[in-house]
Amino acid sequence: QVQLGESGGGLVQPGGSLRLSCAASGFTFNSAVMRWYRQAPGKERELVASISSAGVTTYAPDSVKGRFTISRDNAKNTVYLQMNNLKPEDTAVYYCNVPLMIGSIRNYWGQGTQVTVSS
């Protein structure tokens, strides 16, 4: 079965950095688009970044451009989100996501990892 497992979250001070990891299994990882979402308290879940099977990256919010980098290691079936110069508004649960066509299009989600940016 499809499984996504995020790790790497934690508490950091503003200006700090974290690297999130998402370990994937149960599908052909190297052919899949992988995405990171986040959800802050009281807010909608939003797309943060995506990376195609060819390694083309997209960053959705202007606020993360230049600070966050999505990457993937197909040999490890893992997608990463490097987050630098973190700001309090980055505080959220970060989720790994993959859209797959298994009979029908379906989004698969990890359990999330908490990122808290606070002094």
Side-chain angles (χ1 to χ4, degrees):
Q1 72 279 15
V2 175
Q3 290 188 321
L4 302 171
E6 303 96 333
S7 62
L11 174 64
V12 297
Q13 295 184 11
S17 297
L18 286 172
R19 188 182 73 162
L20 307 183
S21 299
C22 173
S25 63
F27 62 97
T28 305
F29 179 84
N30 61 11
S31 67
V33 173
M34 301 298 299
R35 305 190 288 210
W36 284 99
Y37 283 75
R38 68 184 181 186
Q39 187 166 23
K43 296 185 178 180
E44 297 291 319
R45 189 171 298 187
E46 67 171 349
L47 177 67
V48 176
S50 66
I51 184 166
S52 75
S53 60
V56 178
T57 59
T58 302
Y59 301 93
D62 287 342
S63 62
V64 313
K65 294 177 181 177
R67 299 189 298 120
F68 290 11
T69 303
I70 188 171
S71 62
R72 67 193 298 157
D73 186 337
N74 288 338
K76 296 182 178 180
N77 281 12
T78 301
V79 62
Y80 303 95
L81 186 67
Q82 178 68 46
M83 305 186 295
N84 298 325
N85 192 23
L86 284 161
K87 302 176 180 180
E89 53 262 43
D90 296 318
T91 296
V93 178
Y94 284 71
Y95 297 91
C96 186
N97 165 269
V98 58
L100 296 174
M101 185 69 172
I102 306 175
S104 61
I105 297 174
R106 178 179 174 180
N107 280 295
Y108 293 84
W109 301 91
Q111 80 285 352
T113 185
Q114 177 71 49
V115 172
T116 302
V117 185
S118 176
S119 60

Short mmCIF file of all heavy atoms in Angstrom, two decimals, residues 12 14-16 38-40 46 48 61 63-64 67-68 83-94 114-117:
data_model
loop_
_atom_site.label_atom_id
_atom_site.label_comp_id
_atom_site.label_asym_id
_atom_site.label_seq_id
_atom_site.Cartn_x
_atom_site.Cartn_y
_atom_site.Cartn_z
N VAL A 12 12.13 25.66 16.07
CA VAL A 12 13.30 26.44 15.70
C VAL A 12 13.02 27.91 15.92
O VAL A 12 11.87 28.35 15.93
CB VAL A 12 13.73 26.22 14.23
CG1 VAL A 12 14.16 24.77 14.02
CG2 VAL A 12 12.61 26.59 13.28
N PRO A 14 13.22 31.94 14.77
CA PRO A 14 13.18 32.65 13.50
C PRO A 14 14.58 32.80 12.92
O PRO A 14 15.54 33.10 13.63
CB PRO A 14 12.58 34.01 13.87
CG PRO A 14 11.75 33.71 15.08
CD PRO A 14 12.50 32.65 15.83
N GLY A 15 14.68 32.58 11.62
CA GLY A 15 15.97 32.61 10.95
C GLY A 15 16.66 31.27 10.88
O GLY A 15 17.66 31.13 10.16
N GLY A 16 16.15 30.30 11.60
CA GLY A 16 16.73 28.98 11.60
C GLY A 16 16.33 28.16 10.40
O GLY A 16 15.58 28.61 9.53
N ARG A 38 1.26 22.40 3.64
CA ARG A 38 1.28 22.75 5.04
C ARG A 38 -0.08 23.28 5.47
O ARG A 38 -0.84 23.79 4.65
CB ARG A 38 2.38 23.78 5.36
CG ARG A 38 2.14 25.16 4.76
CD ARG A 38 3.32 26.07 5.05
NE ARG A 38 3.13 27.41 4.51
CZ ARG A 38 4.05 28.35 4.51
NH1 ARG A 38 5.26 28.11 5.03
NH2 ARG A 38 3.79 29.55 4.00
N GLN A 39 -0.35 23.14 6.74
CA GLN A 39 -1.60 23.63 7.28
C GLN A 39 -1.34 24.26 8.64
O GLN A 39 -0.92 23.59 9.57
CB GLN A 39 -2.63 22.51 7.42
CG GLN A 39 -4.00 23.00 7.82
CD GLN A 39 -5.08 21.94 7.63
OE1 GLN A 39 -4.79 20.75 7.61
NE2 GLN A 39 -6.31 22.38 7.48
N ALA A 40 -1.58 25.55 8.71
CA ALA A 40 -1.46 26.28 9.95
C ALA A 40 -2.79 26.24 10.69
O ALA A 40 -3.85 26.05 10.08
CB ALA A 40 -1.05 27.73 9.68
N GLU A 46 -2.40 24.29 2.34
CA GLU A 46 -1.92 24.93 1.13
C GLU A 46 -0.72 24.21 0.55
O GLU A 46 0.12 23.68 1.28
CB GLU A 46 -1.57 26.41 1.38
CG GLU A 46 -0.38 26.62 2.29
CD GLU A 46 0.07 28.08 2.35
OE1 GLU A 46 -0.40 28.90 1.53
OE2 GLU A 46 0.91 28.40 3.21
N VAL A 48 2.82 23.98 -0.84
CA VAL A 48 4.05 24.71 -0.63
C VAL A 48 4.99 24.56 -1.82
O VAL A 48 5.50 25.55 -2.36
CB VAL A 48 4.76 24.25 0.65
CG1 VAL A 48 6.10 24.95 0.82
CG2 VAL A 48 3.87 24.49 1.86
N PRO A 61 3.62 29.44 -2.73
CA PRO A 61 3.50 30.77 -2.13
C PRO A 61 4.73 31.62 -2.40
O PRO A 61 5.86 31.16 -2.30
CB PRO A 61 3.36 30.49 -0.62
CG PRO A 61 3.31 29.00 -0.48
CD PRO A 61 3.93 28.44 -1.69
N SER A 63 5.85 33.68 -0.51
CA SER A 63 6.55 33.84 0.75
C SER A 63 7.66 32.81 0.97
O SER A 63 8.55 33.05 1.79
CB SER A 63 5.56 33.79 1.92
OG SER A 63 4.90 32.54 1.97
N VAL A 64 7.61 31.68 0.29
CA VAL A 64 8.63 30.65 0.49
C VAL A 64 9.70 30.67 -0.59
O VAL A 64 10.74 30.02 -0.43
CB VAL A 64 8.02 29.24 0.60
CG1 VAL A 64 6.84 29.23 1.56
CG2 VAL A 64 7.63 28.69 -0.76
N ARG A 67 13.58 30.73 -0.04
CA ARG A 67 13.87 30.20 1.28
C ARG A 67 13.74 28.68 1.36
O ARG A 67 14.48 28.04 2.09
CB ARG A 67 12.95 30.82 2.33
CG ARG A 67 13.08 32.33 2.45
CD ARG A 67 12.30 32.86 3.66
NE ARG A 67 10.87 32.59 3.54
CZ ARG A 67 10.17 31.87 4.41
NH1 ARG A 67 10.76 31.34 5.47
NH2 ARG A 67 8.86 31.70 4.23
N PHE A 68 12.79 28.13 0.62
CA PHE A 68 12.53 26.69 0.65
C PHE A 68 13.02 26.06 -0.64
O PHE A 68 12.93 26.65 -1.73
CB PHE A 68 11.04 26.41 0.78
CG PHE A 68 10.43 26.75 2.11
CD1 PHE A 68 11.12 27.49 3.06
CD2 PHE A 68 9.15 26.32 2.42
CE1 PHE A 68 10.55 27.81 4.28
CE2 PHE A 68 8.57 26.61 3.63
CZ PHE A 68 9.27 27.36 4.57
N MET A 83 14.21 24.08 4.43
CA MET A 83 13.59 25.33 4.80
C MET A 83 14.62 26.19 5.53
O MET A 83 15.11 25.81 6.59
CB MET A 83 12.37 25.10 5.70
CG MET A 83 11.35 24.15 5.08
SD MET A 83 9.83 24.02 6.08
CE MET A 83 10.52 23.23 7.54
N ASN A 84 14.94 27.32 4.94
CA ASN A 84 15.91 28.24 5.50
C ASN A 84 15.23 29.56 5.86
O ASN A 84 14.17 29.89 5.34
CB ASN A 84 17.04 28.50 4.51
CG ASN A 84 17.83 27.27 4.17
OD1 ASN A 84 18.03 26.39 5.01
ND2 ASN A 84 18.29 27.19 2.92
N ASN A 85 15.89 30.29 6.73
CA ASN A 85 15.38 31.59 7.16
C ASN A 85 13.91 31.50 7.56
O ASN A 85 13.06 32.27 7.10
CB ASN A 85 15.57 32.63 6.06
CG ASN A 85 15.32 34.04 6.53
OD1 ASN A 85 15.41 34.34 7.72
ND2 ASN A 85 14.98 34.93 5.60
N LEU A 86 13.64 30.57 8.43
CA LEU A 86 12.26 30.32 8.83
C LEU A 86 11.66 31.50 9.58
O LEU A 86 12.35 32.20 10.32
CB LEU A 86 12.18 29.06 9.68
CG LEU A 86 12.29 27.76 8.88
CD1 LEU A 86 12.68 26.60 9.77
CD2 LEU A 86 10.97 27.48 8.16
N LYS A 87 10.39 31.69 9.36
CA LYS A 87 9.64 32.78 9.96
C LYS A 87 8.48 32.22 10.77
O LYS A 87 8.02 31.11 10.51
CB LYS A 87 9.10 33.70 8.86
CG LYS A 87 10.18 34.29 7.97
CD LYS A 87 9.59 35.12 6.85
CE LYS A 87 10.68 35.70 5.97
NZ LYS A 87 10.12 36.53 4.87
N PRO A 88 8.00 32.98 11.75
CA PRO A 88 6.87 32.47 12.54
C PRO A 88 5.67 32.06 11.70
O PRO A 88 4.98 31.11 12.06
CB PRO A 88 6.54 33.66 13.45
CG PRO A 88 7.84 34.36 13.62
CD PRO A 88 8.53 34.24 12.29
N GLU A 89 5.44 32.74 10.60
CA GLU A 89 4.31 32.39 9.76
C GLU A 89 4.49 31.08 9.01
O GLU A 89 3.56 30.60 8.36
CB GLU A 89 4.00 33.52 8.76
CG GLU A 89 5.20 33.96 7.95
CD GLU A 89 5.88 35.20 8.50
OE1 GLU A 89 6.04 35.29 9.74
OE2 GLU A 89 6.25 36.08 7.71
N ASP A 90 5.68 30.49 9.09
CA ASP A 90 5.89 29.16 8.54
C ASP A 90 5.40 28.06 9.47
O ASP A 90 5.40 26.89 9.09
CB ASP A 90 7.37 28.93 8.24
CG ASP A 90 7.91 29.86 7.17
OD1 ASP A 90 7.20 30.09 6.16
OD2 ASP A 90 9.04 30.36 7.33
N THR A 91 5.02 28.43 10.67
CA THR A 91 4.54 27.45 11.64
C THR A 91 3.32 26.73 11.09
O THR A 91 2.32 27.37 10.73
CB THR A 91 4.21 28.12 12.97
OG1 THR A 91 5.42 28.66 13.54
CG2 THR A 91 3.61 27.11 13.95
N ALA A 92 3.39 25.43 11.03
CA ALA A 92 2.31 24.62 10.46
C ALA A 92 2.67 23.15 10.59
O ALA A 92 3.81 22.80 10.91
CB ALA A 92 2.10 24.97 8.98
N VAL A 93 1.70 22.32 10.33
CA VAL A 93 1.97 20.91 10.11
C VAL A 93 2.25 20.75 8.62
O VAL A 93 1.47 21.19 7.78
CB VAL A 93 0.79 20.01 10.53
CG1 VAL A 93 1.10 18.56 10.22
CG2 VAL A 93 0.51 20.19 12.01
N TYR A 94 3.36 20.14 8.32
CA TYR A 94 3.78 19.94 6.95
C TYR A 94 3.50 18.51 6.52
O TYR A 94 3.87 17.56 7.22
CB TYR A 94 5.27 20.27 6.79
CG TYR A 94 5.53 21.76 6.77
CD1 TYR A 94 5.41 22.51 7.93
CD2 TYR A 94 5.88 22.42 5.60
CE1 TYR A 94 5.62 23.87 7.93
CE2 TYR A 94 6.09 23.78 5.59
CZ TYR A 94 5.97 24.51 6.75
OH TYR A 94 6.19 25.88 6.74
N GLN A 114 5.21 18.46 12.55
CA GLN A 114 4.99 19.80 13.07
C GLN A 114 6.25 20.63 12.95
O GLN A 114 7.33 20.22 13.37
CB GLN A 114 4.55 19.75 14.53
CG GLN A 114 4.38 21.11 15.19
CD GLN A 114 3.17 21.85 14.68
OE1 GLN A 114 2.06 21.30 14.63
NE2 GLN A 114 3.36 23.12 14.30
N VAL A 115 6.09 21.82 12.40
CA VAL A 115 7.15 22.81 12.36
C VAL A 115 6.68 24.03 13.14
O VAL A 115 5.64 24.60 12.82
CB VAL A 115 7.51 23.22 10.92
CG1 VAL A 115 8.48 24.40 10.91
CG2 VAL A 115 8.10 22.04 10.17
N THR A 116 7.42 24.39 14.16
CA THR A 116 7.09 25.55 14.96
C THR A 116 8.27 26.51 14.95
O THR A 116 9.39 26.13 15.30
CB THR A 116 6.75 25.16 16.40
OG1 THR A 116 5.67 24.23 16.41
CG2 THR A 116 6.37 26.38 17.22
N VAL A 117 8.01 27.73 14.54
CA VAL A 117 9.04 28.76 14.47
C VAL A 117 8.70 29.82 15.50
O VAL A 117 7.71 30.55 15.35
CB VAL A 117 9.14 29.37 13.07
CG1 VAL A 117 10.31 30.35 13.01
CG2 VAL A 117 9.30 28.28 12.02
#
